[in-house]
Amino acid sequence: MATIIDGKALAAKVRERAAAEVAELGGRGISCGLAVVLVGDDQASATYVRSKLRDCEQCGIRSFDYKLPAETSQEELMELIGRLNADEDVTGILVQMPLPAHLDTERVVAAIDPNKDVDGFHPMNMGRLVRGLEGLRPCTPAGIMEMLDEYEIDPAGKNAVIVGRSSIVGKPMAFMLLARNATISVAHSRTDPHELARICQSADILVAACGVPKMIKGPWVKPGATVIDVGMDRDEAGKLCGDVDFDSAELVAGAITPVPGGVGPMTRAMLMSNVVLAAKLQHGL
Ligand code: NDP
């Protein structure tokens, strides 16, 4: 049976570490403040925002909560981001995605000060990642790297397969694993479906981030492989599940993340880490 990678327990540790750093920075006169901007009344987004604000409170991070109506214009949103960029009490800015369709997400992301970009989505931060430079990294793949380190799974020299190539998960994941000397393959919706199982079977580290419920089955997993399930999907019964068929994959994998309790809590916790890192960057630390 595989080792179950406990994202919840590790997330608690990451939050404790962030809280200690917040206190330490506070002692040096540096405060951490996160502005969270929510446009519209999407219920799932509102829930995510509430949990982020709660995490801030737990870590001693000041939070600034901006709830804007769904009809907010591009100019109004850009103007707010400009103000938050200039506000010294705000050391991190997060605009909750997805934005309503009439807003240009790329323009919004690019308007955030890269040193306050705690989501790590700004082209400057993505560029730094690709160039192998320090910087703010997207929370989900950053959390996965923490999990690998915690469980002493060294990517160096291993074959890593990432299923999914989104800008928030798949692509940054590929570059983070590459930076740690793994050999990378990235599969996506145009990968030959007949080849996908074989590609996955080559993985010592398999990261599933495709948003297709339980697509990756036990026989696709190399015996002893590490399986990281990013998916947050619903099965036929409407129950939360991942992109991996946990029951069959667990029998073959060496280590595996559950859904829930794996990548999700780590994504949340890494946001707190990023808020601390952003404050440090702004103070040249
Ligand atoms: P996107 O929809 O942005 O990207 C999905 C990726 O998977 C795309 O690159 C797509 O290919 C690829 N894909 C889709 N279908 C297939 C298929 N049949 N075979 C191979 N590849 C496929 O999703 P995200 O990256 O945002 O999220 C992925 C999953 O992770 C979702 O379930 C999401 O809910 C979850 N998630 C969980 C987080 C957490 O904290 N646990 C955080 C973020 C996301 P193409 O590019 O060709 O379209």
Side-chain angles (χ1 to χ4, degrees), residues 52-256:
K52 287 168 187 175
L53 297 173
R54 246 194 339 265
D55 290 347
C56 282
E57 201 182 334
Q58 198 190 330
C59 295
I61 294 168
R62 219 174 137 188
S63 59
F64 305 87
D65 183 13
Y66 291 89
K67 288 199 176 55
L68 308 182
E71 58 277 11
T72 300
S73 70
Q74 184 82 32
E75 285 58 42
E76 285 166 328
L77 185 52
M78 301 297 272
E79 193 269 329
L80 172 62
I81 289 167
R83 268 195 287 133
L84 298 175
N85 283 342
D87 186 340
E88 287 186 2
D89 290 335
V90 173
T91 52
I93 302 171
L94 183 146
V95 178
Q96 184 63 44
M97 303 294 170
L99 288 169
H102 68 281
L103 295 169
D104 181 342
T105 300
E106 293 302 327
R107 267 185 74 199
V108 171
V109 169
I112 297 171
D113 177 343
N115 280 340
K116 295 190 178 189
D117 167 39
V118 289
D119 259 339
F121 296 162
H122 191 285
M124 177 84 86
N125 286 321
M126 291 295 272
R128 293 185 68 85
L129 168 61
V130 174
R131 299 273 303 178
L133 302 171
E134 297 260 311
L136 289 158
R137 306 287 196 239
C139 297
T140 301
I144 292 169
M145 296 310 291
E146 286 275 343
M147 291 200 281
L148 296 179
D149 287 341
E150 176 74 9
Y151 284 80
E152 296 178 349
I153 298 160
D154 182 3
K158 303 235 167 71
N159 286 334
V161 172
I162 300 131
V163 184
R165 57 173 166 182
S166 73
S167 296
I168 64 167
V169 187
K171 277 185 203 153
M173 184 80 263
F175 283 102
M176 281 187 220
L177 286 165
L178 188 58
R180 294 284 299 276
N181 301 314
T183 303
I184 309 296
S185 308
V186 182
H188 44 78
S189 70
R190 304 289 289 273
T191 299
D192 180 348
H194 304 293
E195 285 295 304
L196 193 54
R198 191 190 55 76
I199 294 167
C200 290
Q201 282 156 359
S202 74
D204 302 303
I205 299 174
L206 178 60
V207 181
C210 56
V212 181
K214 300 185 186 181
M215 186 178 81
I216 290 161
K217 315 274 184 212
W220 295 24
V221 175
K222 180 177 178 176
T226 298
V227 178
I228 306 288
D229 191 352
V230 182
M232 284 202 318
D233 314 314
R234 298 272 161 197
D235 65 14
E236 322 76 52
K239 200 169 149 241
L240 182 66
C241 70
D243 293 344
V244 175
D245 178 38
F246 184 88
D247 292 343
S248 61
E250 186 200 14
L251 302 174
V252 190
I256 187 167

